[in-house]
Amino acid sequence: MPSSRLASSLPPAALLLAAALNTHAQLASPAAPTPAPATAEPAATAPEPSPLLPPPGTITSPAPAAAPSNNFSVNLLKRLVERGALTQKDAQELILLAEADTSAAAAAAAAPPPPPTPPPAPQPDELRVTYVPETVRNRIRDEVRDQLKAEAKSEGWFSERPDSLAWAERVDPFADIRIRYQFDHFPAGNDNTGAFPNFNAINTGSPFDISGNEFSPQYNVDQERQRARLRFRLGAELDLEDHFALGFRFATGQDNSPVSANQSLGWAGNGQGGNFSKYAIWLDRAFLAWEPNSDARIMLGRFDNPFFSTTNIWANEIGFDGLAVQLESSSRAPIEPFLTAGAFPVFNTDFNFSSIQPAKFKSDDKWLYAIQAGADFKIAKDLKAKAAVGYYHFQNIEGRLSDPFTPLSPKDQGNTDATRPSFAQKGNTYRALRNIVPSEVNGFGTRDQYQYFGLASPFHVLTATGSLDYDGWEPMRLSLNTEFAKNLAFDRHAIDAIAVNNRGPVPVGGSSGAFDGKDTAWFIQLTGGDPTLSTRHSWNVYAAYRYIGSDAVVDGFNEQFFGGGGTNVKGFTLGAGFALTPHVNLGLEWSSTDQISGPALRNDIFLIDFAASF
């Protein structure tokens, strides 16, 4: 009978026994040869019953069994029949089932495997890529990884950490270090007769007696210097969920300069450094950010420069205090506009000013109000541009003449002393702040003329900034960056009446030369190579030329290294970078500058940087 009908006619005990026998046979004799499939008889013909068991009804008592078989299953069936657990008929049917299953399995194993399915024919619009460069594969991998991580973070469907450390998914730490060798060289011919007063040293210390009995603090213009410098920064941005983030950063610095975190190794000053003493760490960033959607960001506190600019106006490391709002389009359209605006406190007068008088002076707080509008342009597949116009309105940044008074000692204060800059580099035009009354106590102006100095010009700066990037040789990029700035508040005639520096040659019989300051600045730089140095052995080179008029921008906020920092300088810069690893790179830079207005001053600065980031 067919195997299905035969199996259904067996008692349950027989079926369980057959399954056990089949399993035991497979485990006990795994190397036994499989019988070849039968071909002499039709497939429907059942195999003959095994002759190893006696006919049904002949076993009536546990008589001695026939000669044992070499087949475990047959021997077991014989013993079960002898003991009455199975009938002779059931045993024969089980043998028939087992032999039929063995024959079917052997036939299936002997059949040839089906031929492999050929790949589908390419469609007319299908593009087959036979080779993908490694750089392209790496970029695709990074883009897919970053996209998946962003989606996982925003949707909360993936975490590499246990629940107890889930908070770590919302922390994005970073750190970097830069070891720098700096060589300052001064060519022959610079004026070292006392023509370069250090107004920042005067304004951050005791007032200077201008009665003429001693030299004022002076900038170095003729002695070369070699310095080893260190910059280390450590911070993080914390995702507070619900579109809020908190950021902070700590940094080194031999002082609280807004434009540099460099610490000269071995430099002793401000109670730190020298003889392997420890160095100070400053709070460099601390802000709260809110991003209601992908097109808007609002920041409060102290944060990175939010404006599209060059180092002609804002140094790379400068931080902005206050409020900034950034709006930008994420539509991926050919033209994507953006807008940035903010209000930033530049200086807040001491609450107890004047500290040595019972009657206090009016506050002279300084603010920066700024706005910039621009757009990103996708000109072609590998060509894009960016352009913006900005306006920076500094309120109360300029110095003011005080009410008349007679200082009796360096500790006496005038009511406009707070209008002097709390930090400056060099180049801006300055004016005297104190209206000192000659009297008998000061020798009628011949002694004790204790003076501070403030900026002679207001600053309302209009800027135009642009960049052009060509990516046709990826990962290499060719970039052109440019910027133009003009101080709309500059008044040459008004400044000429009060300026104490940036004057031309003294005419014969005169007391001072004509005011020679400038109100414009411009910058142009060409860069080639990998701009980020993010892959091993990547490189870039750049060349730049800049011109910064004396009163085009505030000298305390722009590049620190070009010409020693500040304004009233012009010249070129050449540089290169090379990635030793994806996280460690080497940088070289040389800048050569000349002073624009006033006495001759030339300066060459060489930098060698080893930098690493995490």
Side-chain angles (χ1 to χ4, degrees), residues 181-188 190 220-227 563-564 590-593 601-606:
Y181 166 78
Q182 180 173 338
F183 174 55
D184 292 75
H185 169 68
F186 299 99
N190 291 341
N220 177 18
V221 299
D222 59 356
Q223 295 300 313
E224 295 179 348
R225 288 287 187 269
Q226 299 185 59
R227 289 178 285 178
W590 169 43
S591 63
S592 181
T593 62
L601 174 57
R602 297 175 59 202
N603 188 14
D604 292 308
I605 298 179
F606 300 86

Side-chain angles (χ1 to χ4, degrees), residues 208-216:
F208 175 65
D209 185 356
I210 63 173
S211 58
N213 297 321
E214 61 183 13
F215 278 112
S216 66

Side-chain angles (χ1 to χ4, degrees), residues 49-317:
S50 172
L52 299 178
L53 294 177
T58 60
I59 300 177
T60 57
S61 63
S69 170
N70 291 329
N71 190 301
F72 169 82
S73 302
V74 172
N75 289 333
L76 181 58
L77 288 172
K78 288 169 59 178
R79 293 299 183 185
L80 291 173
V81 171
E82 290 174 359
R83 297 192 178 194
L86 283 178
T87 64
Q88 178 70 25
K89 180 180 179 181
D90 289 340
Q92 291 177 342
E93 289 176 348
L94 287 172
I95 292 175
L96 288 175
L97 283 172
E99 291 179 347
D101 291 342
T102 302
S103 299
T117 304
Q123 300 298 321
D125 58 348
E126 183 176 335
L127 176 64
R128 292 186 178 273
V129 179
T130 58
Y131 172 73
V132 179
E134 182 179 0
T135 56
V136 177
R137 296 199 305 270
N138 292 340
R139 188 175 70 253
I140 294 174
R141 177 200 63 200
D142 294 342
E143 290 177 353
V144 172
R145 180 196 61 200
D146 294 343
Q147 181 178 355
L148 289 176
K149 288 177 64 177
E151 291 179 0
K153 184 178 179 181
S154 62
E155 298 178 11
W157 50 263
F158 175 75
S159 176
E160 296 178 349
R161 298 176 175 86
D163 292 341
S164 61
L165 296 178
W167 60 268
E169 292 286 352
R170 299 186 284 113
V171 179
D172 184 15
F174 60 87
D176 63 43
I177 188 172
R178 183 180 67 197
I179 311 298
R180 164 170 287 175
Y181 166 78
Q182 180 173 338
F183 174 55
D184 292 75
H185 169 68
F186 299 99
N190 291 341
D191 189 334
N192 62 356
T193 62
F196 299 99
N198 187 337
F199 291 105
N200 187 59
I202 296 172
N203 288 332
T204 56
S206 298
F208 175 65
D209 185 356
I210 63 173
S211 58
N213 297 321
E214 61 183 13
F215 278 112
S216 66
Q218 294 283 312
Y219 284 106
N220 177 18
V221 299
D222 59 356
Q223 295 300 313
E224 295 179 348
R225 288 287 187 269
Q226 299 185 59
R227 289 178 285 178
R229 315 193 78 180
L230 167 70
R231 186 193 71 183
F232 174 72
R233 302 182 297 187
L234 174 67
E237 186 162 331
L238 314 180
D239 180 5
L240 304 180
E241 300 182 333
D242 298 318
H243 308 289
F244 282 93
L246 180 154
F248 65 90
R249 186 172 81 188
F250 300 101
T252 53
Q254 63 192 40
D255 52 38
N256 62 347
S257 164
V259 298
S260 173
N262 285 308
Q263 171 66 60
S264 295
L265 300 181
W267 179 86
N270 297 332
Q272 62 168 337
N275 294 318
F276 303 130
S277 299
K278 299 180 182 67
Y279 300 115
I281 292 292
W282 303 84
L283 178 62
D284 194 35
R285 300 288 188 269
F287 65 89
L288 182 66
W290 179 48
E291 296 183 5
N293 53 57
S294 60
D295 296 337
R297 181 177 174 88
I298 300 174
M299 293 180 290
L300 285 166
R302 180 174 177 83
F303 39 81
D304 289 341
N305 176 13
F307 299 101
F308 173 47
S309 62
T310 72
T311 56
N312 248 25
I313 301 178
W314 304 114
N316 283 330
E317 296 185 26

Side-chain angles (χ1 to χ4, degrees), residues 202-203 205-214 216 356 401-417 420 431-439 441-454:
I202 296 172
N203 288 332
S206 298
F208 175 65
D209 185 356
I210 63 173
S211 58
N213 297 321
E214 61 183 13
S216 66
I356 64 172
L401 187 64
S402 72
D403 294 337
F405 80 111
T406 302
L408 301 179
S409 75
K411 294 182 179 180
D412 287 347
Q413 296 172 321
N415 66 330
T416 62
D417 284 359
R420 71 189 190 272
R431 61 160 302 164
L433 295 181
R434 293 179 168 185
N435 185 3
I436 301 176
V437 178
S439 70
V441 298
N442 61 20
F444 297 99
T446 61
R447 67 176 186 271
D448 298 338
Q449 302 293 294
Y450 302 112
Q451 190 61 265
Y452 279 129
F453 300 88

Side-chain angles (χ1 to χ4, degrees), residues 343-354:
F344 313 98
V346 176
F347 177 82
N348 187 271
T349 305
D350 189 309
F351 191 75
N352 292 321
F353 183 69
S354 165

